[in-house]
Amino acid sequence: GQNIDQPTEMTATEGAIVQINCTYQTSGFNGLFWYQQHAGEAPTFLSYNVLDGLEEKGRFSSFLSRSKGYSYLLLKELQMKDSASYLCAVRDRDYKLSFGAGTTVTVRA
Amino acid sequence: GAVVSQHPSRVICKSGTSVKIECRSLDFQATTMFWYRQFPKQSLMLMATSNEGSKATYEQGVEKDKFLINHASLTLSTLTVTSAHPEDSSFYICSASNLQGTEAFFGQGTRLTVV
């Protein structure tokens, strides 16, 4: 199975940068995903990493180190609408996703 | 990009009745879909893996006779909550991946309230 850890809450100022870390232990790694979820809504896909390194997508970037069991999601130029829960999810060889508890990011003016 | 559509978005039912939730992949074929449940302020928990043309695979602790899954075509999976009870009230979400496996999309979710 997977054991996924991420911080519970983070607060940052509009326009700033926030980095959300995720560590995992897995019995069969087959990719790591980051999702954004607003309250009462379904998760929205943000990024996918399967090889080591940085993937950049606009204001969002995600990094993976498989040897360290570590990933982070970087949010740049924070906007108020970025206030949400961010979920780290690890996929196994059966294509099942296991989710971390989520990190609630609050963006303040 | 690929889209997964889930219906209904909200449903209220009486205790003891059954509710069917549909999950459709709109522009790609999904041989496998997944059903998750999410309680308030908690993360998503995998309930079962829906396999096209064969029986679903349930996670430990999930009753297969209570949560019936049918995946009759490459674009549709259904979850039926049978004999619903108030403790089944939750947010149910389906997901499917594109063929390359590089993206995993979620449906809009179904908020089930059993009264």
Side-chain angles (χ1 to χ4, degrees):
Chain A
Q2 334 286 11
N3 189 12
I4 303 166
D5 290 313
Q6 54 182 125
T8 305
E9 294 180 325
M10 301 183 76
T11 302
T13 306
E14 198 174 13
I17 299 173
V18 70
Q19 177 175 314
I20 306 170
N21 296 323
C22 173
T23 58
Y24 64 89
Q25 295 173 319
T26 179
S27 56
F29 180 81
N30 189 23
L32 187 142
F33 294 78
W34 283 95
Y35 290 88
Q36 180 191 63
Q37 187 177 27
H38 286 98
E41 299 180 11
T44 303
F45 170 80
L46 290 179
S47 70
Y48 165 75
N49 295 73
V50 68
L51 299 176
D52 291 350
L54 186 68
E55 293 285 339
E56 296 188 80
K57 250 186 180 183
R59 295 190 297 116
F60 295 168
S61 303
S62 58
F63 172 82
L64 174 67
S65 169
R66 288 171 296 170
S67 62
K68 295 181 180 178
Y70 168 69
S71 173
Y72 68 72
L73 179 70
L74 196 68
L75 285 65
K76 305 174 194 174
E77 301 169 19
L78 279 173
Q79 301 174 10
M80 299 299 288
K81 66 178 183 179
D82 296 330
S83 292
S85 180
Y86 290 85
L87 307 175
C88 172
V90 175
R91 186 173 65 186
D92 66 16
R93 300 197 188 285
D94 293 325
Y95 283 77
K96 296 179 184 178
L97 285 176
S98 295
F99 285 83
T103 300
T104 300
V105 172
T106 302
V107 181
R108 294 187 172 163
Chain B
V3 176
V4 175
S5 177
Q6 187 173 340
H7 177 82
S9 57
R10 290 181 180 273
V11 59
I12 300 173
C13 71
K14 290 185 178 180
S15 197
T17 61
S18 295
V19 174
K20 180 186 282 189
I21 303 169
E22 293 186 348
C23 180
R24 294 181 185 274
S25 56
L26 295 185
D27 56 3
F28 67 102
Q29 294 180 332
T31 56
T32 303
M33 292 184 180
F34 300 92
W35 288 96
Y36 295 84
R37 180 167 53 185
Q38 186 177 35
F39 291 106
K41 297 189 178 181
Q42 294 186 25
S43 195
L44 285 78
M45 296 299 296
L46 179 65
M47 298 175 65
T49 303
S50 173
N51 304 298
E52 188 268 334
S54 64
K55 291 183 180 180
T57 306
Y58 291 82
E59 296 300 301
Q60 193 171 8
V62 178
E63 301 175 55
K64 62 179 182 180
D65 294 330
K66 180 167 185 63
F67 298 100
L68 299 179
I69 291 173
N70 184 282
H71 195 152
S73 77
L74 287 171
T75 58
L76 174 64
S77 175
T78 61
L79 169 69
T80 302
V81 183
T82 62
S83 187
H85 291 285
E87 56 266 30
D88 297 325
S89 298
S90 186
F91 193 47
Y92 292 86
I93 315 173
C94 68
S95 79
S97 293
N98 60 357
L99 286 178
Q100 299 84 353
T102 54
E103 298 183 59
F105 295 93
F106 284 86
Q108 300 94 322
T110 298
R111 176 76 58 192
L112 171 64
T113 303
V114 184
V115 297

